[in-house]
């Protein structure tokens, strides 16, 4: 029997997140494990008058890619992939892993080689999204693998996901509009300031955001969401930061990441586990050592670390920074093939904006 929350989620994805309308071309991608949500979203897309196209992948294909492909094959980008980036009006990606650790044994150099070749795709999707040409959304369908990462039963994890998406509310779309209105106060405050100084255990870092655009993440591009973010001035980050939670990349964990910045650039990087991957990521390209995003997580309904960045970067009382590519609509100019989010707990921290304390113990004071 279909969980009614899945149909409700499909309706919100189509009509709130992506706002599909008659004639829209719509690409939906996910693994076969997301079949219930794919089917219901496909149905809702037709009812909205759109033209949906589905790309369903099988678990294990990436493992074969990294095990068998030559260097040339890892860097090959099919023509159809380039054309799809330009063609669709709306795009939905559904995470639904069978094994989130399947790439743990992959050589980081091979991984970054493929990532660099595919970098154009993320870059162009961001550009089209920023210009309004493309509406895109990332979400997740609960699976046993994701539940195990979160150290929950599947039933408990399903409840966590659906409640994080506000699907337990009578009108989820209106609930997300209310989130947007609350977050806009913070956006307006930060927009009026330039120098942000963050102090927390093993963290003392400053960056500048004057003239950049703070964006209000209200469940449209990420579902769920609950954050505000921007692209810092590229050469402005100074100081050091310890990221509280493990940083996840393709299922691999890098623990106790500590970065030191000078003139915006990472000049020292250590990790208690996963150092090789951390250093490989930083060598992806010149932009990988600079910040493309700074953000504050504001979703008080997400209270625990689940090893999935879609949820973890929104944990209320945290901030995160992304190494690599900026979002063009933030005004950020950093370019890279990667965009890697790392999270720092601020529930024992303080933030000042142009010298004024605006945030303490995990909450904005404005």
């Amino acid at each position: 029997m279909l969980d009614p929350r899945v149909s409700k989620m499909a309706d919100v994805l189509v009509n709130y997140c992506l706002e599909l309308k008659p004639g829209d071309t719509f690409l939906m991608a996910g693994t076969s494990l997301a079949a219930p949500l794919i089917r219901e979203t496909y149905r809702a897309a037709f009812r909205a008058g759109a033209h949906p196209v589905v790309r369903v992948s099988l678990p294990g294909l990436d493992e074969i890619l990294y095990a068998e492909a030559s260097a040339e094959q890892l860097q090959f980008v099919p023509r159809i992939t380039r054309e799809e980036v330009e063609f669709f009006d709306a795009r939905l990606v559904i995470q639904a892993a069978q094994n989130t650790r399947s790439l743990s044994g992959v050589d980081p150099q091979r991984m970054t080689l493929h990532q660099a070749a595919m970098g154009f795709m993320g870059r162009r999707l961001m550009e089209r999204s920023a210009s309004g040409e493309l509406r895109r959304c990332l979400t997740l369908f609960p699976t046993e693998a994701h539940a195990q990462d979160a150290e929950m039963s599947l039933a408990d994890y399903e409840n966590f996901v659906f409640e994080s998406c506000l699907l337990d509310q009578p009108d989820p779309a209106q609930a997300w509009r209310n989130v947007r209105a609350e977050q806009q106060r913070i956006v307006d405050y930060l927009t009026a300031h330039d120098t942000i100084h963050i102090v927390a255990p093993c963290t003392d870092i400053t960056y500048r955001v004057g003239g950049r655009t703070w964006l209000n993440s209200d469940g449209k591009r990420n579902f769920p969401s609950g954050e505000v973010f921007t692209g810092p001035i590229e050469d402005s980050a100074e100081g050091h930061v310890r990221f509280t939670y493990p940083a996840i990349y393709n299922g691999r964990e890098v623990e106790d990441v500590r970065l030191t910045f000078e003139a915006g650039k990472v000049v020292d990087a250590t990790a208690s586990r996963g150092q090789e991957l951390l250093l490989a990521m930083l060598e992806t390209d010149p932009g990988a050592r600079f910040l493309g995003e700074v953000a504050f997580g504001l979703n008080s309904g997400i209270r625990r670390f689940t090893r999935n960045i879609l949820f973890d970067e929104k944990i209320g009382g945290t901030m995160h920074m992304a190494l690599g590519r900026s979002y063009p609509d933030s005004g950020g100019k950093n370019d890279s093939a990667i965009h890697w989010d790392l999270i720092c707990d601020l529930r024992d921290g303080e933030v000042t904006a142009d010298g004024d304390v605006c945030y303490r113990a995990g909450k904005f004071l404005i």
Side-chain angles (χ1 to χ4, degrees):
M1 175 182 287
L2 178 70
D3 186 327
R5 295 174 297 183
V6 175
S7 297
K8 196 172 186 179
M9 185 173 183
D11 178 72
V12 177
L13 287 168
V14 165
N15 296 301
Y16 171 73
C17 300
L18 295 170
E19 298 183 274
L20 293 186
K21 58 186 184 296
D24 277 345
T25 53
F26 169 45
L27 177 66
M28 177 168 39
T31 77
S32 55
L33 298 179
L37 181 57
I38 290 173
R39 281 193 291 264
E40 291 307 298
T41 306
Y42 192 59
R43 189 191 318 277
F46 277 120
R47 289 175 176 173
H51 303 297
V53 174
V54 177
R55 293 278 184 267
V56 178
S57 62
L58 301 177
L61 294 184
D62 283 342
E63 296 169 64
I64 296 172
L65 169 72
Y66 287 115
E68 301 294 337
S70 65
E72 179 185 358
Q73 289 169 319
L74 284 173
Q75 296 177 86
F76 175 72
V77 181
R79 179 180 172 184
I80 191 171
T81 300
R82 296 185 181 277
E83 292 178 348
E84 282 185 352
V85 169
E86 302 293 339
F87 178 76
F88 289 96
D89 300 309
R91 181 185 183 93
L92 173 67
V93 174
I94 304 171
Q95 297 179 356
Q98 182 181 63
N99 179 359
T100 61
R101 309 304 175 91
S102 62
L103 302 181
S104 296
V106 174
D107 179 351
Q109 300 295 334
R110 287 175 61 77
M111 196 176 291
T112 54
L113 188 66
H114 181 63
Q115 185 76 33
M118 296 300 292
F120 85 93
M121 185 174 179
R123 186 178 302 113
R124 185 60 184 138
L125 289 174
M126 283 184 177
E127 290 172 352
R128 293 193 66 220
S129 181
S131 71
E133 294 176 55
L134 174 71
R135 282 154 283 144
R136 61 190 177 99
C137 182
L138 171 68
T139 193
L140 178 144
F141 183 76
T143 67
E144 290 281 6
H146 292 302
Q148 288 169 354
D149 276 354
E151 300 180 355
M152 299 185 201
S153 69
L154 180 58
D156 286 345
Y157 187 68
E158 288 172 341
N159 290 335
F160 166 79
V161 170
F162 294 137
E163 289 172 11
S164 297
C165 293
L166 303 183
L167 297 173
D168 57 332
Q169 300 296 311
D171 185 346
Q174 184 56 48
W176 282 109
R177 293 186 191 101
N178 294 341
V179 167
R180 178 177 182 82
E182 177 63 21
Q183 292 181 168
Q184 191 59 40
R185 294 187 309 105
I186 297 169
V187 166
D188 292 343
Y189 176 85
L190 293 172
T191 297
H193 293 79
D194 180 18
T195 302
I196 307 298
H197 183 198
I198 299 173
V199 178
C202 302
T203 293
D204 188 338
I205 188 164
T206 302
Y207 56 79
R208 294 182 53 228
V209 292
R212 298 297 165 90
T213 301
W214 283 91
L215 298 170
N216 187 338
S217 188
D218 57 357
K220 286 184 175 285
R221 289 190 189 172
N222 282 181
F223 191 69
S225 197
E227 65 169 302
V228 297
F229 65 96
T230 192
I233 294 172
E234 285 69 30
D235 62 356
S236 69
E238 295 280 352
H240 59 274
V241 56
R242 174 181 182 260
F243 294 100
T244 319
Y245 299 107
I248 315 293
Y249 188 78
N250 280 343
R252 297 184 64 175
E253 291 190 20
V254 185
E255 291 185 2
D256 195 24
V257 174
R258 299 174 187 239
L259 303 178
T260 300
F261 291 86
E262 293 180 4
K265 183 178 181 179
V266 175
V267 295
D268 188 55
T270 64
S272 61
R273 184 164 73 94
Q275 176 90 0
E276 181 186 7
L277 177 58
L278 173 62
L279 297 180
M281 294 289 286
L282 290 170
E283 293 305 315
T284 301
D285 50 41
R289 285 185 175 267
F290 291 82
L291 293 174
E293 177 193 2
V294 291
F296 293 96
L298 303 171
N299 192 328
S300 59
I302 302 178
R303 302 180 183 89
R304 60 187 295 173
F305 182 67
T306 65
R307 293 179 173 81
N308 188 292
I309 196 64
L310 177 62
F311 298 88
D312 297 338
E313 69 176 2
K314 282 88 174 182
I315 295 172
T318 66
M319 71 91 167
H320 59 275
M321 298 176 160
L323 294 169
R325 186 187 308 116
S326 299
Y327 291 99
D329 39 353
S330 73
K333 299 177 175 61
N334 196 43
D335 187 30
S336 174
I338 70 167
H339 180 92
W340 192 21
D341 294 289
L342 304 101
I343 308 164
C344 177
D345 195 329
L346 289 186
R347 283 170 282 198
D348 189 19
E350 184 175 277
V351 180
T352 61
D354 293 338
D356 296 327
V357 176
C358 62
Y359 184 107
R360 182 179 289 131
K363 294 184 182 296
F364 275 94
L365 306 178
I366 59 175

